[in-house]
Amino acid sequence: MGTCDKFMNSKRAVLIIDFGTSNVHVNVIDCQDGKMICGHAEKYIMYHPSAQMSELCPEEVWKASEISVRAVICSLPENVRLCAVSFSYFGDSIMAVDKDGMPMTNLMLCFDARGAAQASRLAEKLGKRHIELTGEPCTLYSASSKLLWLQENEPKIFERANGFWSIQQYILKRLHLPVLCDCTMAARYNLFDNAQNMWSEELLNSVGVDRSLLPETVESTQIIGTIGSYGEVQLPEEVKVVIGAHDCECGIIGTGAFDADHKILANITGTYDHMGLICDGYVNPMAVQTNTMACGARGPFSYSSTCSASLDTAGSVLEWFMREIIGDTSQNAYTAMWQKVKLNGDGTVFIVPNFTDSKGKIIGLSISNNKQDLFEALIEGVTFEVKTILNSYMEFWKNSFEVVRVGGGLARAEQWMQLRADMFGRPIECMQNIEVSAVGAAILGAVAAGLYENHMEASKKMIGIERYYEPNLPIYERYEEKYKYYLQIKS
């Protein structure tokens, strides 16, 4: 068979490198139907040098991605042709690099709390102006507060730094590509003027960072070069590289929650439990009267905005429970717990899962309760928190959402999906490929490679629904009463 015949009969696919906070997933996604052709995941260690610190070693993240790419390329079917490489990245992380792009610090992650005092000072100083520019208040999760912490606590490193990067820039550097930052990742620095689509000199001055120390920004759809290898891993051929986007935006794309009528709301589950959508044009965050939802951040498409909110302890509190209470974090242990679950609103135990700020609570324990009761209360507590986010969206968009589409690892738990339908009072659709961040990044890649005219056309082909859950009205009404009590005890 000649080369031309081989390409004519081949499947077109995108190689996706999806960086999470605990592991990297490398997937090959079929551009025709969005299904996974092959994939591999590799974990890396999260370091906690102190109770406040949460870090990743960027070189370990790179090596894990290289191992995963090698595994995927070795298992790639002969009839698959890679037409692009695209990326999905965790956000809100920051590290200092020297003039050669070598790390001077580890990556300070979103939930690294060492910048809490600096965040409070910045929030007091900037107030609503920070929200106006970035779409959200300055918090300890913000990269800007961590930069100020670095300036005050590691002045020698801060002064010698030749740049402040996220994992995106480090990976591009390792691939010998231009060290750029897509707009969605730039927005995660909390130093980006979303309305003007540029770094904010006002915010940069507030943390003492010169503009030259931050990367140039481009749209998430930008082709930034070609590669024939990923580190030491030889690819089948030279492929275009699309810079990609923040994992939340990729996940929203992967659910199709960018329709003009706002009928679909994305719910991306995992370590975080995100809800969001992508809107055309710029959404003024000052018009959104809620403390739950962040609006106005630059979206992945040209002249678009992301509106998102998340519960940052969703997956981590479940892991804590399985580790500390059950003593087993294996998949078999999770399965054993889920097999006994009854989520009908009859339980009397309440758990507030806000563990990040030491505000977690357990209410209503009696001597008759057991570990299963606690597990169910924790599932309900996480879902109550996500319901609070949903209610903010429903209020702002006047009940326009007809369905919530769910992706991510927690979408595998059918009982939890039914609970979400029952608690939200909205149908739940679970995605055919629950790796929605990978699907979203693949859609960006497929369009950039010219396989589709636009992202709406690509989504109609590459996004599918596997399961559907209707709300049970009596159970919904029972949970509405429980939710009112939950709001009282969490405050």
Side-chain angles (χ1 to χ4, degrees):
M1 180 183 293
T3 301
C4 292
D5 293 332
K6 176 184 175 183
F7 284 168
M8 287 179 61
N9 296 322
S10 64
K11 286 187 177 183
R12 302 290 187 92
V14 181
L15 176 65
I16 305 299
I17 297 91
D18 180 7
F19 293 95
T21 54
S22 57
N23 53 42
V24 58
H25 291 260
V26 174
N27 300 302
V28 176
I29 303 294
D30 192 328
C31 294
Q32 181 61 35
D33 56 16
K35 293 182 179 179
M36 186 185 301
I37 295 173
C38 55
H40 183 86
E42 197 75 22
K43 284 186 173 292
Y44 25 76
I45 299 170
M46 187 182 297
Y47 295 98
H48 303 283
S50 72
Q52 291 185 315
M53 300 168 74
S54 298
E55 301 178 339
L56 292 177
C57 171
E59 182 62 14
E60 291 178 4
V61 175
W62 160 256
K63 286 295 184 185
S65 70
E66 194 177 32
I67 291 169
S68 294
V69 170
R70 185 184 303 279
V72 166
I73 295 302
C74 287
S75 62
L76 193 67
E78 290 186 4
N79 68 330
V80 173
R81 181 187 177 191
L82 298 179
C83 60
V85 177
S86 186
F87 297 88
S88 167
Y89 294 97
F90 60 85
D92 302 271
S93 62
I94 199 78
M95 66 178 178
V97 297
D98 65 17
K99 60 182 178 61
D100 298 316
M102 297 302 293
M104 301 171 69
T105 65
N106 276 340
L107 276 161
M108 302 166 66
L109 294 175
C110 170
F111 30 77
D112 184 296
R114 72 186 92 174
Q118 288 75 14
S120 296
R121 295 207 311 271
L122 285 171
E124 184 176 351
K125 176 182 177 181
L126 298 168
K128 290 184 178 180
R129 181 60 175 160
H130 194 280
I131 300 174
E132 183 181 359
L133 290 168
T134 70
E136 55 189 310
C138 183
T139 69
L140 65 86
Y141 306 120
S142 305
S144 54
S145 62
K146 295 174 175 60
L147 283 172
L148 191 56
W149 180 92
L150 196 64
Q151 182 184 40
E152 296 173 357
N153 292 272
E154 298 286 355
K156 291 183 179 179
I157 291 177
F158 188 88
E159 291 167 9
R160 288 173 44 230
N162 196 60
F164 296 107
W165 291 358
S166 71
I167 188 60
Q168 184 177 51
Q169 290 74 58
Y170 186 71
I171 296 301
L172 297 180
K173 175 71 174 179
R174 293 304 306 260
L175 291 173
H176 307 291
L177 291 165
V179 180
L180 300 169
C181 184
D182 89 279
C183 291
T184 67
M185 288 294 284
R188 303 318 313 153
Y189 277 73
N190 299 111
L191 296 169
F192 198 68
D193 184 335
N194 292 310
Q196 299 299 319
N197 196 28
M198 61 189 294
W199 297 110
S200 167
E201 291 292 343
E202 180 180 348
L203 295 179
L204 290 173
N205 290 337
S206 71
V207 294
V209 173
D210 189 86
R211 167 66 188 85
S212 64
L213 298 177
L214 298 180
E216 294 295 326
T217 60
V218 296
E219 297 289 347
S220 308
T221 53
Q222 183 77 35
I223 296 174
I224 58 172
T226 60
I227 57 174
S229 63
Y230 189 97
E232 297 182 357
V233 183
Q234 193 68 32
L235 301 180
E237 59 188 302
E238 288 272 335
V239 291
K240 298 175 182 177
V241 178
V242 181
I243 192 169
H246 181 229
D247 56 9
C248 180
E249 277 76 4
C250 286
I252 294 172
I253 296 170
T255 65
F258 51 89
D259 61 311
D261 298 326
H262 306 313
K263 294 181 179 179
I264 303 166
L265 186 62
N267 184 191
I268 308 152
T269 65
T271 303
Y272 288 65
D273 209 318
H274 285 281
M275 276 195 161
L277 73 157
I278 296 166
C279 303
D280 291 335
Y282 174 66
V283 177
N284 184 353
M286 304 308 292
V288 182
Q289 301 299 313
T290 173
N291 294 322
T292 306
M293 181 171 55
C295 286
R298 288 298 293 191
F301 310 134
S302 179
Y303 199 56
S304 65
S305 298
T306 300
C307 296
S308 66
S310 67
L311 173 63
D312 61 355
T313 55
S316 58
V317 294
L318 280 179
E319 185 175 350
W320 166 84
F321 180 86
M322 297 301 293
R323 183 182 67 247
E324 302 297 333
I325 306 300
I326 304 301
D328 187 350
T329 59
S330 68
Q331 187 58 52
N332 287 339
Y334 276 98
T335 300
M337 298 300 295
W338 278 110
Q339 286 176 342
K340 301 175 184 177
V341 158
K342 294 180 181 178
L343 298 168
N344 53 19
D346 286 340
T348 57
V349 181
F350 289 79
I351 295 181
V352 179
N354 298 333
F355 285 18
T356 299
D357 299 330
S358 301
K359 295 180 181 177
K361 298 179 183 179
I362 301 178
I363 305 293
L365 273 179
S366 73
I367 199 168
S368 63
N369 290 123
N370 54 36
K371 293 177 181 178
Q372 190 67 34
D373 297 328
L374 291 175
F375 182 77
E376 293 173 7
L378 187 59
I379 298 299
E380 289 181 340
V382 169
T383 315
F384 280 139
E385 289 293 321
V386 181
K387 178 180 173 66
T388 300
I389 297 171
L390 172 66
N391 286 350
S392 294
Y393 282 101
M394 300 293 285
E395 180 181 352
F396 184 68
W397 273 281
K398 309 303 181 188
N399 291 317
S400 61
F401 301 105
E402 296 178 358
V403 66
V404 177
R405 286 186 177 173
V406 184
L410 303 184
R412 296 186 181 94
E414 295 194 26
Q415 300 98 316
W416 205 345
M417 295 304 100
Q418 184 60 56
L419 173 66
R420 293 191 181 215
D422 294 340
M423 201 178 279
F424 297 166
R426 287 288 186 279
I428 297 292
E429 293 179 343
C430 285
M431 310 311 295
Q432 169 186 271
N433 186 343
I434 63 171
E435 300 287 349
V436 287
S437 291
V439 174
I443 288 173
L444 292 177
V447 174
L451 300 185
Y452 295 101
E453 185 174 340
N454 55 50
H455 302 95
M456 189 62 73
E457 180 187 356
S459 70
K460 291 177 181 177
K461 290 285 189 178
M462 297 177 67
I463 293 174
I465 306 302
E466 184 171 274
R467 301 191 311 276
Y468 182 86
Y469 301 86
E470 280 280 0
N472 182 306
L473 184 58
I475 294 178
Y476 166 74
E477 293 173 346
R478 196 177 305 159
Y479 273 118
E480 281 292 281
E481 292 302 312
K482 291 192 72 170
Y483 179 62
K484 293 175 185 176
Y485 180 67
Y486 177 83
L487 293 178
Q488 295 175 20
I489 65 173
K490 71 167 284 189
S491 59

